[in-house]
Amino acid sequence: MSETKTSAPDSTPAAGDEDLGAAGSQLSTAPVEDAPNLPSLGVIGWARWFWRQLTSMRVALLLLLLLSLGAIPGSLIPQTGIDETKVAEFRKAHETLAPIYDKLGLFNVYSSVWFSAIYILLFVSLIGCIVPRTWQFVGQLRGRPPGAPKRLTRLPAYTTWRTEAEPEQVREAALALLKKRRFRAHLTGDAVAAEKGYLREVGNLAFHIALIVMLIAFAWGQLFKSEGNKLVVEGDGFSNTLTQYDDFKSGSLFTQDDLDPFSFNLKNFTGTYEASGPNKGTPRIYKADISYSVGADGKDEKTTIKVNEPLEIGDSKVYLVSHGYAPVITIRDGKGNIVYRDAVPLLPLDGNVTSTGAIKVMDGYRNAKGEREQLGFQAFFLPTYVKGNELASQFPALLNPVINLEAYHGDLGVDAGIPQSVYQLNKKNLKGFKDAKGAQVRENLKPGESMKLPNGAGTVTFEKEIKEWAGFQVARQPGSGWALAGSLAAIFGLAASLFIQRRRVWVRAATGSDGVTVVEMAGLGRSESAKVPEELGDLAGILYEQAPGAPDAEDDPAESEASPDPQVVPAEGAEK
């Protein structure tokens, strides 16, 4: 009666088993590093040694770590390409640190020499690793699995039995079985050699290539990106030109010609909120109804922009990013002439849209003496005013709107040529209007109410019409699609390299000294895993049914050396 046994090999092959080394070779595309003979390297030798170090796994990981560490200052320290105002404030507040940061390039980390050097070295390291490994892998695909070693008993997983079937029949059955299990198999001498799990190396190479794609995409995006913000009041419009933006930043290679030609008008903004419960005041719907046209002669089209649902025009995306109110204010001089009438956008301070801003009358106003003068008003707006709490709105919707105005006259400072925010009032050269008691004029107005300025200086009316405004961000991020594709490919490649095992199986069928066919099966994997002996046992069980054991199998001396517990040992060679 025949029986099947498994054998555990020595942890390392004997020095004379050169065929075992050949059988286990090329299970990985990782390059084999030879220890350099340092005293006789020479210039070329040192150059080759440096190149091998640069393209090694440890250096690539070190560069990735350095790149991650180098990006930290870019997140913590204000960057000139993102917010120059904050950089100026930082310089003013840290007079000692600022010059040091300038020398280290910490105000423009992503375009600094040291960050670019790390980036380029990582790029070169990945390319230097991928190119030779790709050609090596292509060569393996075009070749065939190596022939069986002379002593299969030394392989990590091994089993053998005797059968009355002819060796040719066993080999043909083994070849058909292995091909059915999607092994790449062929006959070589008295054995069948098969290999499976090439997707592991494909995943490995795909992961490295995906990293290069991501590096290129991020670099391309940083160089050619643009991002601008624009506040648009209901009824107003926007044209995609640099002069129309409230603020704009772009990559170093971006030009004005890269802007997509389009324009749009904000027809209506709709915002609804939770009226009760723990989420009271939380926005439910934020949407902006607009009409837009592409190009100089484009037809008007209507669409709705919602949060996380941008309008895509060419390479640009128009996002809805903020919202607020723009009360309509009318200002008249002492003779009743309208010197100012407009919707004044105010900036929110909290989630209930408590807002603040400034109203500036720069031209056309004359005081009671007929002298030219400028007016300024500090505005504080509450969409839902509750008596007794004048500091904050109680709800973001217009349930009981109130505006508080603080009046000033004099010089706004806009004629000095120094830029200033339209939402802030420079009170340096302004004088406050005083009431009969000498106090600063300040009043709360409801829609339709007016405030009289002292000494016949005029009136300010809070009109019943309250418009809303929407903040839009126009972003152009080239390479984002490639970056996403690279990220997904890197994930799938990494998963394939981790969970798929490249392995080889050999089946030898030869006539023994007593005329009975001896069948030997052995397996070898890229790394230590229980999958190789399990898979070998499954294949052996199927093949055993087609070539059952001979009655005198227990007397075979070859089986007496077998061990009942198969083991898997990792093949030599480091994986990058």
Side-chain angles (χ1 to χ4, degrees), residues 410-423:
D411 182 9
L412 293 171
V414 294
D415 299 328
I418 302 175
Q420 58 178 251
S421 172
V422 297
Y423 305 105

Side-chain angles (χ1 to χ4, degrees), residues 57-108:
M57 174 74 166
R58 54 183 176 273
V59 173
L61 291 176
L62 178 61
L63 291 172
L64 278 173
L65 176 62
L66 290 177
L67 195 68
S68 302
L69 294 176
I72 294 176
S75 303
L76 301 178
I77 301 173
Q79 301 294 293
T80 54
I82 298 177
D83 196 333
E84 294 188 5
T85 303
K86 288 186 177 180
V87 173
E89 293 175 355
F90 187 92
R91 293 179 188 274
K92 187 177 180 180
H94 304 84
E95 296 181 356
T96 303
L97 280 178
I100 299 175
Y101 284 5
D102 274 325
K103 292 181 180 180
L104 296 177
L106 297 182
F107 288 123
N108 52 348

Side-chain angles (χ1 to χ4, degrees), residues 232-235 266 268-271 273 286 323-327 343 396 398 466-470:
V232 183
V233 179
E234 288 177 328
L266 177 60
N268 182 60
F269 181 88
T270 303
Y273 311 89
Y286 265 7
H323 156 259
Y325 295 103
L398 295 171
I466 301 177
K467 294 185 177 182
E468 299 187 50
W469 60 261

Side-chain angles (χ1 to χ4, degrees), residues 461-479:
T461 302
F462 177 20
E463 302 292 346
K464 292 184 178 180
E465 180 184 13
I466 301 177
K467 294 185 177 182
E468 299 187 50
W469 60 261
F472 296 94
Q473 183 181 86
V474 181
R476 187 176 180 274
Q477 188 68 46

Side-chain angles (χ1 to χ4, degrees), residues 219-427:
W220 188 268
Q222 288 295 318
L223 292 173
F224 293 94
K225 73 174 182 179
S226 66
E227 184 180 291
N229 294 284
K230 179 63 178 178
L231 185 151
V232 183
V233 179
E234 288 177 328
D236 292 344
F238 166 77
S239 179
N240 192 29
T241 60
L242 290 180
T243 56
Q244 289 277 298
Y245 284 99
D246 295 331
D247 62 83
F248 185 86
K249 53 182 178 287
S250 62
S252 57
L253 298 184
F254 176 85
T255 64
Q256 187 171 351
D257 295 335
D258 294 327
L259 291 172
D260 294 304
F262 68 89
S263 60
F264 65 85
N265 292 308
L266 177 60
K267 298 299 183 181
N268 182 60
F269 181 88
T270 303
T272 61
Y273 311 89
E274 290 286 347
S276 60
N279 295 323
K280 181 179 179 180
T282 302
R284 297 180 59 187
I285 297 175
Y286 265 7
K287 65 178 183 177
D289 298 319
I290 69 168
S291 62
Y292 71 96
S293 61
V294 180
D297 303 321
K299 296 182 179 179
D300 283 346
E301 298 184 43
K302 295 182 179 180
T303 189
T304 299
I305 303 178
K306 300 179 181 179
V307 178
N308 297 326
E309 295 182 16
L311 169 66
E312 297 188 28
I313 302 176
D315 293 330
S316 300
K317 292 184 179 182
V318 183
Y319 294 89
L320 175 63
V321 294
S322 58
H323 156 259
Y325 295 103
V328 178
I329 302 296
T330 301
I331 301 175
R332 295 177 173 85
D333 60 17
K335 296 181 180 180
N337 299 319
I338 297 178
V339 295
Y340 182 92
R341 180 183 176 88
D342 202 358
V344 183
L346 303 176
L347 300 181
L349 298 175
D350 56 29
N352 286 327
V353 202
T354 303
S355 306
T356 186
I359 304 170
K360 301 178 182 181
V361 181
M362 295 177 284
D363 299 306
Y365 174 77
R366 292 180 180 270
N367 58 23
K369 298 179 181 180
E371 299 173 344
R372 292 183 179 275
E373 206 171 28
Q374 294 177 333
L375 299 178
F377 300 86
Q378 189 70 51
F380 192 72
F381 180 72
L382 283 70
T384 300
Y385 169 75
V386 175
K387 190 174 182 180
N389 188 354
E390 299 181 356
L391 299 178
S393 174
Q394 301 302 301
F395 196 73
L398 295 171
L399 301 183
N400 183 28
V402 167
I403 190 169
N404 179 275
L405 295 177
E406 188 176 303
Y408 295 87
H409 65 99
D411 182 9
L412 293 171
V414 294
D415 299 328
I418 302 175
Q420 58 178 251
S421 172
V422 297
Y423 305 105
Q424 295 179 349
L425 196 63
N426 185 358
K427 302 176 183 178

Side-chain angles (χ1 to χ4, degrees), residues 167-187 191-194 196 505 507 521 539 542-543 546:
E168 293 80 5
Q169 296 177 351
V170 176
R171 289 194 289 266
E172 290 177 1
L175 182 63
L177 172 62
L178 291 170
K179 287 185 175 181
K180 185 178 180 181
R181 291 297 184 94
R182 298 189 299 277
F183 278 84
R184 195 171 60 134
H186 71 105
L187 285 170
V192 177
K196 190 177 184 181
V505 172
V507 181
M521 293 185 67
L539 293 171
I542 298 175
L543 187 60
Q546 302 179 38

